[in-house]
Amino acid sequence: MKKKSFSIMLAVLLTLSVMLTACGGNGKAAPTAPATGGDTAKGAESDAPTEIKIMLPLNTSETPPDTIKNELEKLTNTKLTYQFFPADTYEEKLNSSFATGSLPQVTYLKNQTTFIQMKDAIKDGQFWEIGPYLSEFPNLSKLKPEILNNTKVEGKLYSLYIGRPLARQGIIYRKDWADKLNLAAPANVDELFEMAKAFTEQDPDGNNVKDTIGVVDRNELIYGAFKTVSSWFGTPNGWGEKDGQLQPEFTFPQYIDTMDFFKKLRDAGYMNQDFAATSKTDAVKMFTSGKAGLYIGGSMQDIDSLHKDLIKNVPDAVVDTHSMVAGPDGKFAQWMIPGYNNVVLFPKSAIKDEAELKKILAFFDKMMTPEVSNLMFWGIEGVHYTVEDGKAKPTEDKELIEREVKGYKDSVIGESETNGMYEPYNTLPGRIHAEELLLENVKVGVPDPTAPLDSATYTEKGVELQQIITDATYKYMYGQIDKAGFEKEVENWKKRGGDKIIEEYNAAYKK
Amino acid sequence: MQEVTAQASTAQPVLEASRNKNEVKKRIWRNRWLYVMIAPGLLYFIIFKYLPMYGLIISFQDYKPYNGIMGSNWVGMKHFNRLFTEPDFLNILKNTIVLFGLNIFIYFPIPIILALMLNELRGNFFKRIFQSLLYIPHFMSWVIVVSISFVMVTMDGGIINDLLVFFGFEKINFLLNPSWFRPMYIIQVIWREAGWGTIIYLASIAAIDPGLYEAARMDGAGRLRQIWHITIPAIRGVIITLFILKIGSVLDLGFEHVYLLLNSMNREVAEIIDTYVYTAGLRQGQFSYSTAIGFFKSVIGLILVMTVNKISKKMGEEGVY
């Protein structure tokens, strides 16, 4: 009985879906009556604003007022409905909207991870492929091909990306301490170690108490210090080629060298002892309270906020940034992100036909003009920012920006090189230095070869498996396991699905 | 003749039924405001507690959000099998049970003892002050509780380690040493919850007839005797009810709390079912697998509650249902 009703249900479902696809096919393939009707209608009201619904994550606590939106609508001739949802629970919102078929025409994801999770649905044809249309739009076609390539799914482009500098990582350090101890910025990993040692042992704050440490790190292998230092040691970014095959980074000897480096630092007391349990907040606090001298990893652009909080505690502190640290072989290297921190997708369930898709893409094309992207990224000139030396200087009223602009800021397509928006006007020397270093970083940048590749096993349990390696890495650095113990964990990783991931990535790599 | 009786006998119940129906209608009408008042609660449970159970279906599917529950593939017990064959499964289950045991055997009696002690405080002024002081931690989020203890016990300038060094002991790595995880966990639970847990006990103690105490005093019972023979028996029912309810939430140990304490060095003792659901399931969008684990957890909870309830009834207590 149960079986019977189930098969009936299935049959009903099937009929329904066939009907639906038929309808869909109709809309697309038959350009007869309805399409012409649509065209004439469009011709008649071509000045009427396009109505667009946009769903996106919100990184502030309040929904922004319509100040920016109103300007945006005027500039782009649209009628926009922004649906902001808190970033903390955005994944849930995304999934439930998806499950109920209520995704709006423009759907922002949250980050790379949500994008990977969405890949299944993309392959299933739930979203519009936009690749073929890009060339019709002068501004959208400026988007960087290498980054677009990283966002492709099975070689096809479905999304626009929100750009981020490729490699922002480096060191933020106490220049005043270094000057006092006659140290230059570390040129290689040995000098980095020496600096951590000197900052710990030579009383750089001059209070005659041994109360300072060198490096402060936190419980995060990727955005903490580990991965950045690891790339200086020459470890590949995520995956590297060995004997003509892609292998995960932790099978490379340089990875072990990096672990040894941190083990030595910790054993000697040159870094915070509890780094495996230290949150970002606590790590930052150790730096801004004047207790630690080297903040590694993260973004060098964070120097602004670190500096601001540090001089509250240590008024005469000087900070600087640095990222050119050579490995033991004398070579520079820096790992790079895939160049985007979020993407936008266009669900087929909300966009009926090509004409509508093009109208929406036209809106994004306008978003990539300097005028519109400045409005969204910086706000209204004279209210939220002023222009100095051709760069944007945000107003002192940080709260105003947070409230009115931040919500839109995170949704700007492309980056200033492609959309022509203002670069930030910086006054802090360390920050200006950081901006120069970002460009240097890219020159020696190491991409992750698996970024555009696909592995079903990785999508299914990559995160869970990575936990094995993360735990083993910390245990090694804390001296709880030795090299043999670490290798045993790598075997464990392989046995529980890692082998399959290697296999799948290599298969995709060779294509 | 027979027909007639047959008719009569069928007519009789019908009449009775209709009278009964009227009776029921009347009763409902008489208590209509009660029903109206019950409605929001009932709706709440239907909408938020019973309807979501429909979602359990996805633990037997390979659920894809865009296909919905109706469109996803059925895979039978696949996700349960995966859970049970997971190499860490036994360890995770053990950790969960150990923390649960700590909650039952160490934490559970503390609010009772506290309530008894508070009750012995004469003078309403002090009683209220102590009570308020005991309640306050409950209003701090786990994030704050865990950060406070981090600041206190960290090896990088935490006050407790500084004191240890001052008195000539070695520093202790509370945060990363697996053997310190459980003590830290239960101390934090006690610190945050014990005061709050006394509320119900204090309320039920307040309901005890003062005459009983007077009579006991007349018979020459001291304070301890009074507690033993009057207070504790009087709140025994409450204790058992709360105990059963606690058992019901057997595997709910506070995801947030454990997740905040969890790190790579203490995972072997700190990973519990809830945190595993988060890392293995939700962070990776594996809804079916996560649901299967949650389902498994609820079934254990249900079995435990029913067992304990039965035992308590056998022992002549009331139980929760």
Side-chain angles (χ1 to χ4, degrees):
Chain A
M1 176 60 209
K2 255 187 184 167
K3 242 186 187 165
K4 207 173 177 185
S5 64
F6 179 64
S7 51
I8 290 174
M9 201 174 73
L10 263 184
V12 170
L13 253 174
L14 262 173
T15 349
L16 265 177
S17 55
V18 166
M19 274 162 69
L20 277 175
T21 35
C23 288
N26 228 352
K28 261 185 283 168
T32 44
T36 19
D39 267 348
T40 39
K42 207 177 85 187
E45 44 174 5
S46 62
D47 288 343
T50 318
E51 280 187 36
I52 306 179
K53 265 196 200 135
I54 301 169
M55 169 177 162
L56 71 175
L58 180 69
N59 289 304
T60 57
S61 48
E62 276 176 73
T63 308
D66 286 343
T67 336
I68 304 287
K69 197 192 95 176
N70 293 340
E71 289 295 313
L72 191 59
E73 285 180 339
K74 269 185 243 160
L75 283 177
T76 55
N77 187 30
T78 45
K79 173 100 192 47
L80 302 171
T81 312
Y82 272 96
Q83 305 175 329
F84 288 103
F85 298 104
D88 292 342
T89 52
Y90 194 72
E91 279 122 319
E92 284 161 37
K93 186 66 211 168
L94 202 59
N95 286 320
S96 61
S97 307
F98 201 179
T100 53
S102 56
L103 286 179
Q105 293 138 302
V106 175
T107 304
Y108 281 80
L109 299 188
K110 190 177 144 189
N111 50 36
Q112 229 182 310
T113 319
T114 48
F115 184 41
I116 289 173
Q117 284 169 20
M118 214 43 107
K119 278 189 177 170
D120 249 358
I122 294 174
K123 283 184 212 158
D124 198 52
Q126 300 285 321
F127 297 95
W128 282 94
E129 190 198 341
I130 60 163
Y133 304 107
L134 277 199
S135 55
E136 297 173 28
F137 299 94
N139 296 317
L140 290 180
S141 51
K142 284 186 207 154
L143 286 169
K144 296 182 179 173
E146 67 268 26
I147 298 175
L148 287 177
N149 198 33
N150 284 340
T151 64
K152 280 185 180 165
V153 178
E154 290 183 326
K156 292 180 187 163
L157 184 70
Y158 294 87
S159 56
L160 298 173
Y161 71 85
I162 289 96
R164 279 291 173 277
L166 285 161
R168 305 192 284 182
Q169 326 67 244
I171 303 172
I172 298 171
Y173 71 105
R174 290 289 296 273
K175 181 135 194 340
D176 53 333
W177 287 8
D179 287 346
K180 195 174 161 220
L181 304 175
N182 279 323
L183 291 166
N188 55 43
V189 282
D190 293 328
E191 284 185 35
L192 178 63
F193 189 87
E194 288 308 313
M195 184 180 246
K197 183 179 178 191
F199 278 0
T200 312
E201 290 181 341
Q202 297 179 26
D203 188 29
D205 59 351
N207 63 355
N208 293 324
V209 189
K210 193 174 169 267
D211 60 353
T212 53
I213 57 165
V215 181
V216 58
D217 193 17
R218 58 188 166 103
N219 56 352
E220 164 68 73
L221 287 183
I222 295 173
Y223 299 105
F226 188 83
K227 192 170 171 75
T228 300
V229 174
S230 169
S231 78
W232 291 336
F233 267 92
T235 318
N237 183 6
W239 290 71
E241 217 171 304
K242 194 153 85 177
D243 313 325
Q245 257 223 328
L246 281 185
Q247 290 287 340
E249 57 179 358
F250 42 82
T251 56
F252 285 76
Q254 290 94 331
Y255 191 91
I256 310 268
D257 294 343
T258 316
M259 292 197 293
D260 283 328
F261 179 83
F262 278 99
K263 185 173 187 311
K264 232 167 69 186
L265 266 184
R266 182 187 175 272
D267 288 347
Y270 303 155
M271 73 184 295
N272 52 331
Q273 299 295 296
D274 280 339
F275 70 95
T278 306
S279 66
K280 183 176 186 184
T281 327
D282 288 313
V284 166
K285 220 179 281 158
M286 283 180 92
F287 187 83
T288 56
S289 63
K291 193 171 180 293
L294 286 151
Y295 179 86
I296 308 180
S299 161
M300 287 188 286
Q301 293 166 325
D302 288 345
I303 190 173
D304 283 328
S305 60
L306 287 181
H307 175 256
K308 203 179 100 210
D309 290 335
L310 176 60
I311 53 172
K312 277 182 210 152
N313 301 317
V314 191
D316 50 357
V318 182
V319 281
D320 200 0
T321 45
H322 183 67
S323 70
M324 288 295 118
V325 182
D329 56 358
K331 282 190 196 137
F332 293 112
Q334 187 62 260
W335 67 282
M336 297 195 292
I337 59 165
Y340 67 94
N341 84 325
N342 199 0
V343 295
V344 197
L345 288 170
F346 306 93
K348 281 194 180 155
S349 56
I351 302 176
K352 303 181 298 291
D353 51 24
E354 228 178 299
E356 194 183 349
L357 177 69
K358 282 188 181 173
K359 275 189 185 176
I360 292 166
L361 286 177
F363 162 71
F364 280 98
D365 192 54
K366 279 183 199 148
M367 196 199 279
M368 281 193 69
T369 58
E371 204 182 8
V372 182
S373 51
N374 275 333
L375 170 73
M376 294 181 75
F377 195 88
W378 296 108
I380 297 165
E381 190 175 347
V383 179
H384 302 109
Y385 73 102
T386 50
V387 179
E388 251 167 84
D389 300 341
K391 290 176 175 175
K393 184 182 181 189
T395 155
E396 292 294 308
D397 190 351
K398 296 274 179 293
E399 239 172 77
L400 182 75
I401 295 178
E402 183 88 6
R403 196 171 60 241
E404 296 188 347
V405 189
K406 177 78 172 143
Y408 301 93
K409 195 176 200 145
D410 298 336
S411 71
V412 177
I413 303 298
E415 52 279 280
S416 50
E417 298 103 278
T418 51
N419 59 27
M421 65 182 179
Y422 292 121
E423 298 275 350
Y425 178 83
N426 297 310
T427 43
L428 190 70
R431 173 64 191 265
I432 295 169
H433 191 196
E435 296 295 329
E436 293 163 15
L437 288 169
L438 294 191
L439 304 175
E440 294 296 308
N441 273 349
V442 175
K443 283 183 197 154
V444 295
V446 184
D448 180 347
T450 62
L453 303 182
D454 210 24
S455 151
T457 312
Y458 183 82
T459 315
E460 194 190 327
K461 47 184 176 183
V463 175
E464 191 191 342
L465 286 178
Q466 184 58 38
Q467 199 70 61
I468 299 174
I469 301 299
T470 305
D471 290 355
T473 305
Y474 277 113
K475 283 187 180 150
Y476 185 95
M477 292 192 287
Y478 274 82
Q480 279 194 3
I481 54 174
D482 57 3
K483 195 158 172 260
F486 184 78
E487 270 154 11
K488 219 177 94 199
E489 291 298 318
V490 173
E491 282 310 309
N492 188 15
W493 177 86
K494 283 185 176 163
K495 219 171 55 209
R496 285 171 62 177
D499 268 335
K500 260 172 127 182
I501 298 181
I502 295 178
E503 209 177 283
E504 287 164 3
Y505 270 144
N506 277 298
Y509 190 54
K510 296 222 170 76
K511 264 190 212 162
Chain B
M1 186 62 208
Q2 274 209 317
E3 261 188 304
V4 174
T5 36
Q7 262 179 4
S9 62
T10 44
Q12 194 69 16
V14 170
L15 249 176
E16 215 160 81
S18 73
R19 206 187 302 144
N20 271 349
K21 225 182 230 168
N22 276 334
E23 190 75 6
V24 168
K25 266 188 196 160
K26 243 190 247 161
R27 235 187 302 157
I28 290 180
W29 183 246
R30 213 181 305 135
N31 297 322
R32 57 190 179 278
W33 296 118
L34 281 181
Y35 285 101
V36 169
M37 278 194 272
I38 258 182
L42 212 59
L43 273 180
Y44 168 80
F45 276 99
I46 290 173
I47 296 174
F48 292 106
K49 300 286 169 189
Y50 284 94
L51 285 184
M53 282 191 196
Y54 170 66
L56 286 178
I57 292 178
I58 70 171
S59 61
F60 303 103
Q61 296 182 323
D62 259 338
Y63 175 70
K64 299 262 160 63
Y66 52 92
N67 288 335
I69 291 180
M70 302 310 275
S72 297
N73 290 331
W74 296 89
V75 294
M77 299 298 281
K78 176 182 156 193
H79 297 291
F80 293 94
N81 287 339
R82 177 175 164 199
L83 174 66
F84 299 139
T85 52
E86 190 69 36
D88 298 334
F89 173 67
L90 276 182
N91 193 36
I92 292 168
L93 190 63
K94 188 187 109 196
N95 290 339
T96 313
I97 292 170
V98 169
L99 287 197
F100 169 66
L102 289 177
N103 264 299
I104 289 295
F105 295 110
I106 300 187
Y107 165 73
F108 188 77
I110 289 179
I112 303 173
I113 297 168
L114 266 181
L116 292 175
M117 281 160 63
L118 274 174
N119 187 48
E120 293 307 312
L121 271 182
R122 298 291 181 243
N124 261 332
F125 180 69
F126 282 110
K127 204 159 148 185
R128 265 191 217 142
I129 286 188
F130 276 116
Q131 237 169 302
S132 307
L133 282 178
L134 286 171
Y135 289 170
I136 286 171
H138 175 78
F139 297 102
M140 295 189 194
S141 69
W142 279 122
V143 181
I144 295 182
V145 174
V146 173
S147 332
I148 290 177
S149 38
F150 175 85
V151 171
M152 283 171 68
V153 302
T154 172
M155 287 176 84
D156 305 300
I159 184 157
I160 292 188
N161 270 316
D162 283 355
L163 278 177
L164 283 177
V165 173
F166 181 78
F167 288 113
F169 296 100
E170 289 263 311
K171 278 191 181 183
I172 296 175
N173 202 341
F174 294 100
L175 295 162
L176 299 171
N177 191 334
S179 52
W180 275 99
F181 169 76
R182 283 167 186 157
M184 295 240 302
Y185 168 84
I186 198 66
I187 288 171
Q188 286 168 358
V189 169
I190 291 170
W191 187 77
R192 183 172 184 255
E193 300 296 350
W196 191 250
T198 60
I199 291 182
I200 294 178
Y201 298 117
L202 281 173
S204 56
I205 289 174
I208 300 171
D209 179 5
L212 290 173
Y213 290 106
E214 262 165 53
R217 266 199 298 276
M218 298 287 268
D219 292 341
R223 281 267 178 104
L224 283 178
R225 284 270 153 206
Q226 288 176 34
I227 291 177
W228 187 248
H229 290 293
I230 299 171
T231 319
I232 291 183
I235 62 171
R236 201 168 69 177
V238 175
I239 293 177
I240 287 175
T241 308
L242 286 182
F243 186 75
I244 297 173
L245 291 179
K246 182 100 195 157
I247 299 269
S249 59
V250 46
L251 305 177
D252 276 324
L253 301 157
F255 160 75
E256 205 189 347
H257 183 200
V258 178
Y259 189 72
L260 288 164
L261 286 175
L262 181 69
N263 57 51
S264 288
M265 307 298 289
N266 64 18
R267 188 175 309 274
E268 63 203 79
V269 296
E271 186 92 288
I272 57 171
I273 293 180
D274 286 330
T275 56
Y276 179 70
V277 167
Y278 181 73
T279 38
L282 294 182
R283 241 168 69 188
Q284 219 156 343
Q286 298 196 46
F287 305 104
S288 291
Y289 187 42
S290 321
T291 309
I293 306 172
F295 196 4
F296 163 75
K297 214 178 87 168
S298 311
V299 169
I300 294 191
L302 187 66
I303 293 172
L304 277 170
V305 168
M306 285 166 71
T307 321
V308 176
N309 204 48
K310 198 155 238 172
I311 294 173
S312 90
K313 276 193 173 160
K314 278 240 168 78
M315 285 163 58
E317 291 293 336
E318 269 197 36
V320 285
Y321 59 87

